[in-house]
Amino acid sequence: MDVLDLARTQFAVTGSLHFLFVVLTLGLAPLVAIMHTRWARSGKPLHEGMTRFWGQVYVINYALGIVTGLVMEFQFGLAWSGLSHYAGDVFGAPLAMETLVAFFLESTFLGLWIFGWGRLPKWAHVACIWVVTLTAYASAFYIMVANSFLQNPAGAVVTGGRMELTDFGALLTNKALIFSFPHVIGAGLFTGGMVLVGASAWRLRRRAPEVEFFTRSLRMGVVTAAIGIFLTMGFGYAQFAGVPEGKFGDHNVAAAVGLGLMIEFGQLLGLVVLLVMLPMISILPRARWTHPILIAMTPLPFALSIMGWMAREIGRQPWMIWEKLTVADAMSPGLTPGMVTASLIGFAAVLGLLAIVDYVLIARLIRRGPRALDLGAAADEPRTPALSY
């Protein structure tokens, strides 16, 4: 491949690996916040256990995912300095806001939540996880603002060979944003819900002693997945009203095929969740024959999310900013195939390793179950050394 194709491949690989963490974070954060609120209101040990168990899954995913996000920021300077020069005044603003929200507000309140067990007042502790959830969604919003600007450069004009922001309101009401952001939120809820479903089915199939714990988790996951897939499908179709003419034309066969496959598989999965799983929600925990199917369905939301993101990005080719800046002009000058190949291998290896570690740690936690958890443990509470990170 030439240097342009290598640079595109690098961003596709790192972006896809990073999005695996993001979509699960968006799905789990509100679920953990709801569990914690239930515990604060009821005081029941069951709700405390659910909060700590699924909260620990969330913390593992967040801690490793935040590292993968740093690589995405680096690449704009390493490989795409032409974009920064041409539209940095517009494109960089929402990215800067996302960085402030994610690295200052979200991480700060997550730290307060993690280390506030038994130290913060009950409702202040609950407020921390809700702030984490809201800032996670705000972070996703600013990322989608930046990406939607690439899809449809609203609110900016070209002056002196560079783009300048003239209407901030137009940037926030971009037709490429108003339906795509809820679509991403729906995908996150769908993914988080299916992780609860798959993990709970795995435990119940192995006749775990915590039957009520995972029965409630599975039912909560089914309801969340149903809400998520409904939002994903509804806002997914609504996005077509804002797709510019020619985006999925003959020159973008790969994007058109990927989009078609995503729609077909997404529709099929949506029908299964809404018309089969949701009506059977009361018997799924006891119906052991369904558990292997539910476990096998767990990776599908991740695959569909990646397919959707890839279709959105590839469909814009050959433009980096639609009809304003080509991908070739956005690339940094002076790059060689050897330089990009080396960074591609390095980034892919590190991010791929983080994804594997994320899976292994979460799988190990699920295999062990909600016993001797690290999150929220009292000083005298026994913990498993293998899971003390």
Side-chain angles (χ1 to χ4, degrees), residues 247-265:
K247 183 172 182 181
F248 294 100
D250 296 336
H251 63 292
N252 276 330
V253 177
V257 172
L259 181 65
L261 289 174
M262 180 200 65
I263 292 174
E264 293 299 325
F265 283 112

Side-chain angles (χ1 to χ4, degrees), residues 21 24-25 28 52-67 110 113-114 354-366 368 373-375 387-389:
F21 295 88
L24 182 56
T25 295
L28 283 181
R52 291 177 59 189
F53 179 76
W54 295 113
Q56 188 159 324
V57 173
Y58 173 81
V59 170
I60 293 170
N61 185 74
Y62 180 91
L64 293 170
I66 202 72
V67 180
L110 181 60
W113 186 72
I114 292 172
L354 289 173
I356 293 172
V357 171
D358 187 51
Y359 169 78
V360 170
L361 291 178
I362 291 176
R364 186 184 296 177
L365 175 62
I366 291 170
R368 183 168 62 98
L373 295 168
D374 293 301
L375 180 65
L387 282 177
S388 297
Y389 307 110

Side-chain angles (χ1 to χ4, degrees), residues 123-177:
W123 289 106
H125 197 204
V126 173
C128 286
I129 190 61
W130 277 110
V131 173
V132 168
T133 302
L134 293 175
T135 51
Y137 279 42
S139 178
F141 173 76
Y142 284 117
I143 287 294
M144 292 307 298
V145 169
N147 181 265
S148 297
F149 172 77
L150 302 181
Q151 309 289 339
N152 176 48
V157 296
V158 179
T159 303
R162 299 181 64 185
M163 297 199 76
E164 294 183 358
L165 182 63
T166 58
D167 188 347
F168 187 67
L171 195 67
L172 298 182
T173 56
N174 194 332
K175 64 180 181 180
L177 169 68

Side-chain angles (χ1 to χ4, degrees), residues 21-22 45 51 70 84 87 101 108 118 139 153 163 166 175 189 193 202 223 249 268 279 291-292 299 356 383:
F21 295 88
V22 172
T51 304
L70 296 174
S84 301
V101 168
T108 297
S139 178
M163 297 199 76
T166 58
K175 64 180 181 180
L189 292 173
W202 192 91
V223 172
L268 178 61
H291 296 166
I356 293 172
R383 281 169 281 181

Side-chain angles (χ1 to χ4, degrees), residues 153-239:
V157 296
V158 179
T159 303
R162 299 181 64 185
M163 297 199 76
E164 294 183 358
L165 182 63
T166 58
D167 188 347
F168 187 67
L171 195 67
L172 298 182
T173 56
N174 194 332
K175 64 180 181 180
L177 169 68
I178 54 177
F179 294 125
S180 62
F181 176 61
H183 179 71
V184 170
I185 296 304
L189 292 173
F190 178 45
T191 303
M194 288 305 301
V195 167
L196 261 66
V197 169
S200 300
W202 192 91
R203 292 289 300 176
L204 290 170
R205 181 166 177 79
R206 281 153 182 77
R207 303 185 188 281
E210 309 88 5
V211 175
E212 185 180 2
F213 183 102
F214 287 106
T215 294
R216 292 203 177 197
S217 295
L218 191 149
R219 290 173 178 170
M220 186 177 188
V222 170
V223 172
T224 304
I227 295 171
I229 195 65
F230 182 79
L231 292 174
T232 303
M233 293 172 63
F235 285 104
Y237 284 116
Q239 286 185 81

